[in-house]
Amino acid sequence: MRTIKYIPLYILALLLAILVFLEAWTYYLGRPSVTFERYLGKPVPAVVEDLGLRRYRAEHSPHLFDIKVSKENEKQLIDEMVRQCHMQKISAKRLPKAVAKVDTEMVDVIKLSPYIYMTAKYNEANVTAHRLCILFRDDKSLYLYLNGDL
C-alpha cells in the first residue's frame, strides 16, 4: 500500500532524469567541434588549435566558426576547406547582400581580409540550392561562415 502512495514521486523522478539527459544531449550537440562535424561532414582537422562558434538567429541557420591555426598550417587548412566546400577566390564586391543582413561587423572584416573564398555555385536567387561557405581571415583568426540548412 505504501508503494502505491509514492508512484507520482517515481514518475516525477523519471521525468527529471529524462530532462537532465536531454539537456546534456543538447549541450553536447551545441559544442563547436560537433557542429563543425555536422555541417561539413568531416571531423575538425588536426591542424586546428582552437575552434569557436557564433550562431545567428536568421534564415537558414548561419554559423561563424572562429578557427585558430598556426601560420605554417594555414595554407594546408585553407586548401582542405576550399576543396571540401567547393569554394573559389572572390573579391569583396561579389559578397551576397544577405550576408550583410546577418552581421555587418563580419562584412567589414571580410572586406579587410587578404583573401576571400566563397562557394562557387552559390545562387542568390535560389539560396536553398547550395550551402553558402565563406572563408576569410583577419589578423588573429581564420573564419568560416556557413549559411544553409543541414
Side-chain angles (χ1 to χ4, degrees), residues 54-94:
R54 181 187 295 179
R55 298 181 199 304
Y56 297 100
R57 292 190 188 275
E59 194 174 10
H60 303 297
S61 63
H63 292 71
L64 179 66
F65 291 97
D66 179 1
I67 305 169
K68 303 273 193 249
V69 64
S70 63
K71 289 287 184 188
E72 55 269 2
N73 293 328
E74 182 178 334
K75 178 76 171 127
Q76 173 190 356
L77 181 64
I78 290 172
D79 291 342
E80 187 176 331
M81 291 289 144
V82 166
R83 187 176 56 253
Q84 203 168 345
C85 289
H86 309 290
M87 293 188 267
Q88 66 183 4
K89 201 169 197 174
I90 64 162
S91 67
K93 294 175 186 173
R94 285 203 44 218

Coordinates of all heavy atoms in Angstrom, one line a residue, residues 54-94:
R54 N 30.0 31.1 -33.4 CA 29.0 32.1 -33.2 C 27.8 31.7 -34.0 O 27.9 31.5 -35.2 CB 29.5 33.5 -33.6 CG 28.4 34.6 -33.4 CD 28.8 35.9 -34.0 NE 30.0 36.4 -33.3 CZ 30.6 37.5 -33.6 NH1 30.1 38.3 -34.6 NH2 31.6 38.0 -32.9
R55 N 26.6 31.6 -33.4 CA 25.4 31.3 -34.1 C 24.6 32.6 -34.3 O 24.6 33.4 -33.4 CB 24.5 30.3 -33.3 CG 25.2 29.0 -33.0 CD 24.2 28.1 -32.2 NE 24.7 27.0 -31.5 CZ 25.4 26.0 -31.9 NH1 25.7 26.0 -33.2 NH2 25.8 25.0 -31.2
Y56 N 23.8 32.6 -35.3 CA 23.0 33.8 -35.6 C 21.5 33.3 -35.7 O 21.2 32.2 -36.1 CB 23.4 34.4 -36.9 CG 24.8 35.0 -37.0 CD1 25.8 34.3 -37.6 CD2 25.0 36.2 -36.4 CE1 27.1 34.8 -37.6 CE2 26.3 36.7 -36.4 CZ 27.3 36.0 -37.1 OH 28.6 36.5 -37.1
R57 N 20.7 34.2 -35.3 CA 19.2 34.0 -35.4 C 18.8 34.6 -36.8 O 18.5 35.8 -36.8 CB 18.4 34.6 -34.3 CG 18.7 33.9 -33.0 CD 17.7 34.4 -31.9 NE 18.1 33.9 -30.6 CZ 17.7 32.7 -30.2 NH1 17.0 31.9 -30.9 NH2 18.0 32.3 -29.0
A58 N 18.8 33.9 -37.8 CA 18.5 34.3 -39.1 C 18.0 33.1 -39.9 O 18.1 32.0 -39.5 CB 19.7 35.0 -39.8
E59 N 17.5 33.5 -41.1 CA 17.0 32.4 -42.0 C 18.2 31.5 -42.5 O 19.3 32.0 -42.7 CB 16.4 33.1 -43.2 CG 15.6 32.2 -44.1 CD 14.9 32.9 -45.2 OE1 15.2 34.1 -45.4 OE2 14.1 32.3 -45.8
H60 N 18.0 30.2 -42.5 CA 18.9 29.2 -43.0 C 20.0 29.0 -42.0 O 21.1 28.6 -42.4 CB 19.4 29.5 -44.4 CG 18.4 29.6 -45.4 ND1 17.5 28.6 -45.7 CD2 18.0 30.7 -46.1 CE1 16.6 29.0 -46.6 NE2 16.9 30.2 -46.9
S61 N 19.8 29.2 -40.7 CA 20.7 28.9 -39.6 C 22.2 29.2 -39.9 O 23.0 28.3 -40.0 CB 20.6 27.5 -39.1 OG 20.9 26.6 -40.1
P62 N 22.6 30.5 -40.0 CA 24.0 30.8 -40.2 C 24.9 30.5 -39.0 O 24.5 30.7 -37.9 CB 24.0 32.2 -40.6 CG 22.7 32.8 -40.1 CD 21.8 31.6 -40.0
H63 N 26.1 30.1 -39.2 CA 27.1 29.9 -38.2 C 28.5 30.5 -38.7 O 28.8 30.5 -39.8 CB 27.4 28.4 -38.0 CG 26.2 27.7 -37.4 ND1 25.1 27.4 -38.1 CD2 26.0 27.1 -36.2 CE1 24.2 26.8 -37.3 NE2 24.8 26.6 -36.1
L64 N 29.2 31.0 -37.7 CA 30.5 31.6 -38.0 C 31.5 30.9 -37.1 O 31.5 31.0 -35.9 CB 30.6 33.1 -37.7 CG 31.9 33.8 -38.0 CD1 32.3 33.7 -39.4 CD2 31.9 35.2 -37.5
F65 N 32.4 30.1 -37.7 CA 33.4 29.4 -37.0 C 34.7 30.3 -36.9 O 35.2 30.8 -37.9 CB 33.8 28.1 -37.6 CG 32.7 27.1 -37.5 CD1 31.8 26.9 -38.6 CD2 32.5 26.3 -36.4 CE1 30.8 26.0 -38.5 CE2 31.5 25.4 -36.3 CZ 30.6 25.2 -37.4
D66 N 35.2 30.4 -35.7 CA 36.5 31.1 -35.5 C 37.6 30.1 -35.3 O 37.6 29.4 -34.3 CB 36.3 32.0 -34.2 CG 37.5 32.8 -33.8 OD1 38.5 32.7 -34.6 OD2 37.5 33.5 -32.8
I67 N 38.5 30.0 -36.3 CA 39.4 28.9 -36.3 C 40.8 29.5 -36.0 O 41.3 30.3 -36.7 CB 39.4 28.2 -37.7 CG1 38.0 27.7 -38.0 CG2 40.5 27.1 -37.7 CD1 37.8 27.2 -39.4
K68 N 41.5 29.0 -35.0 CA 42.8 29.4 -34.7 C 43.8 28.3 -35.2 O 43.6 27.1 -34.9 CB 43.1 29.5 -33.2 CG 42.2 30.4 -32.4 CD 42.7 31.8 -32.5 CE 41.9 32.7 -31.5 NZ 41.1 33.7 -32.1
V69 N 44.7 28.7 -36.1 CA 45.6 27.8 -36.7 C 47.0 28.5 -36.8 O 47.0 29.7 -37.0 CB 45.1 27.3 -38.1 CG1 45.0 28.4 -39.0 CG2 45.9 26.2 -38.6
S70 N 48.1 27.7 -36.7 CA 49.4 28.3 -36.9 C 49.6 28.7 -38.3 O 49.0 28.2 -39.3 CB 50.5 27.4 -36.4 OG 50.5 26.2 -37.2
K71 N 50.5 29.7 -38.5 CA 50.8 30.2 -39.9 C 51.3 29.1 -40.8 O 51.0 29.1 -42.0 CB 51.9 31.3 -39.8 CG 51.3 32.6 -39.1 CD 50.4 33.3 -40.1 CE 50.0 34.6 -39.5 NZ 49.0 35.3 -40.2
E72 N 52.1 28.2 -40.3 CA 52.7 27.2 -41.2 C 51.6 26.1 -41.6 O 51.8 25.5 -42.7 CB 53.9 26.4 -40.6 CG 53.6 25.8 -39.2 CD 53.9 26.7 -38.0 OE1 54.3 27.9 -38.2 OE2 53.7 26.3 -36.9
N73 N 50.6 26.0 -40.9 CA 49.5 25.0 -41.2 C 48.3 25.7 -41.9 O 47.4 25.0 -42.3 CB 49.0 24.3 -40.0 CG 50.1 23.4 -39.4 OD1 50.9 22.8 -40.1 ND2 50.1 23.2 -38.1
E74 N 48.3 27.0 -42.0 CA 47.2 27.8 -42.5 C 46.9 27.4 -44.0 O 45.8 27.2 -44.4 CB 47.4 29.3 -42.4 CG 46.3 30.1 -42.9 CD 46.5 31.6 -42.7 OE1 47.3 32.0 -41.8 OE2 45.9 32.3 -43.5
K75 N 47.9 27.4 -44.8 CA 47.7 27.1 -46.3 C 47.1 25.7 -46.4 O 46.2 25.5 -47.3 CB 49.1 27.2 -47.0 CG 49.0 26.8 -48.4 CD 48.4 28.0 -49.2 CE 48.6 27.7 -50.7 NZ 47.3 27.8 -51.4
Q76 N 47.6 24.7 -45.7 CA 47.0 23.4 -45.7 C 45.5 23.3 -45.4 O 44.7 22.7 -46.0 CB 47.8 22.4 -44.8 CG 47.3 21.1 -44.7 CD 47.9 20.3 -43.6 OE1 48.9 20.7 -42.9 NE2 47.4 19.1 -43.3
L77 N 45.2 24.0 -44.3 CA 43.8 24.1 -43.9 C 42.9 24.8 -44.9 O 41.8 24.4 -45.2 CB 43.7 24.8 -42.5 CG 42.3 24.9 -41.9 CD1 41.7 23.5 -41.6 CD2 42.3 25.7 -40.7
I78 N 43.4 25.9 -45.4 CA 42.6 26.6 -46.5 C 42.4 25.7 -47.7 O 41.3 25.7 -48.2 CB 43.4 27.9 -46.9 CG1 43.3 28.9 -45.7 CG2 42.7 28.5 -48.1 CD1 44.1 30.2 -45.9
D79 N 43.4 25.0 -48.1 CA 43.2 24.1 -49.3 C 42.2 23.1 -49.0 O 41.4 22.7 -49.8 CB 44.6 23.5 -49.6 CG 45.6 24.5 -50.2 OD1 45.1 25.6 -50.7 OD2 46.8 24.2 -50.2
E80 N 42.2 22.5 -47.8 CA 41.3 21.5 -47.4 C 39.8 22.0 -47.3 O 38.9 21.4 -47.8 CB 41.7 20.9 -46.0 CG 40.8 19.7 -45.6 CD 41.3 19.1 -44.3 OE1 42.5 19.2 -44.0 OE2 40.5 18.6 -43.6
M81 N 39.7 23.2 -46.8 CA 38.3 23.8 -46.7 C 37.8 24.2 -48.0 O 36.6 24.0 -48.3 CB 38.4 25.1 -45.8 CG 38.6 24.9 -44.3 SD 37.2 24.1 -43.6 CE 38.0 23.0 -42.5
V82 N 38.7 24.8 -48.9 CA 38.2 25.2 -50.2 C 37.8 23.9 -51.0 O 36.8 24.0 -51.7 CB 39.4 25.9 -51.0 CG1 39.1 26.0 -52.5 CG2 39.6 27.3 -50.4
R83 N 38.5 22.8 -50.9 CA 38.1 21.6 -51.6 C 36.8 21.0 -51.0 O 35.9 20.6 -51.7 CB 39.2 20.6 -51.5 CG 39.1 19.3 -52.3 CD 40.3 18.4 -52.2 NE 40.6 18.0 -50.8 CZ 41.7 18.5 -50.2 NH1 42.5 19.4 -50.7 NH2 41.9 18.1 -48.9
Q84 N 36.7 21.1 -49.7 CA 35.5 20.5 -49.0 C 34.2 21.3 -49.3 O 33.2 20.7 -49.5 CB 35.8 20.5 -47.5 CG 35.0 19.5 -46.7 CD 35.6 19.4 -45.3 OE1 36.6 19.8 -45.0 NE2 34.8 18.8 -44.4
C85 N 34.3 22.6 -49.4 CA 33.1 23.4 -49.6 C 33.0 23.9 -51.0 O 32.1 24.7 -51.3 CB 33.1 24.6 -48.7 SG 32.9 24.3 -47.0
H86 N 33.9 23.4 -51.9 CA 33.8 23.8 -53.4 C 33.8 25.3 -53.5 O 32.9 25.9 -54.1 CB 32.6 23.2 -54.0 CG 32.4 21.7 -53.8 ND1 33.3 20.8 -54.4 CD2 31.6 21.0 -53.0 CE1 33.0 19.6 -54.0 NE2 31.9 19.7 -53.2
M87 N 34.8 25.9 -53.0 CA 34.9 27.4 -53.0 C 35.9 27.9 -54.0 O 36.7 27.1 -54.5 CB 35.4 27.9 -51.6 CG 34.4 27.7 -50.5 SD 34.8 28.5 -49.0 CE 35.7 27.2 -48.2
Q88 N 35.8 29.1 -54.4 CA 36.7 29.8 -55.3 C 37.0 31.2 -54.7 O 36.3 31.7 -53.9 CB 36.1 29.9 -56.6 CG 34.9 30.9 -56.7 CD 34.3 30.9 -58.1 OE1 34.8 30.2 -59.0 NE2 33.3 31.8 -58.3
K89 N 38.2 31.7 -55.1 CA 38.6 33.0 -54.6 C 37.7 34.1 -55.2 O 37.5 34.1 -56.5 CB 40.1 33.2 -54.9 CG 40.7 34.3 -54.0 CD 42.2 34.2 -54.2 CE 42.8 34.9 -53.0 NZ 44.3 34.8 -53.0
I90 N 37.3 35.1 -54.4 CA 36.4 36.1 -55.0 C 36.9 37.5 -54.4 O 37.8 37.5 -53.5 CB 34.9 35.9 -54.6 CG1 34.8 36.0 -53.1 CG2 34.4 34.7 -55.1 CD1 33.3 36.3 -52.6
S91 N 36.3 38.5 -54.9 CA 36.6 39.9 -54.4 C 35.4 40.2 -53.4 O 34.3 39.6 -53.5 CB 36.7 40.9 -55.5 OG 35.4 41.0 -56.1
A92 N 35.6 41.2 -52.6 CA 34.6 41.6 -51.7 C 33.3 42.1 -52.3 O 32.2 42.1 -51.8 CB 35.1 42.7 -50.7
K93 N 33.4 42.6 -53.6 CA 32.2 43.1 -54.3 C 31.2 42.0 -54.6 O 30.1 42.3 -54.8 CB 32.7 43.7 -55.6 CG 33.5 45.0 -55.4 CD 34.0 45.5 -56.7 CE 35.0 46.7 -56.4 NZ 35.6 47.1 -57.6
R94 N 31.7 40.7 -54.7 CA 30.8 39.6 -55.0 C 30.1 39.0 -53.8 O 29.4 38.0 -54.0 CB 31.6 38.5 -55.7 CG 32.0 38.9 -57.1 CD 32.3 37.7 -58.0 NE 31.3 36.6 -57.9 CZ 31.7 35.3 -57.9 NH1 32.9 35.0 -58.1 NH2 30.8 34.4 -57.8

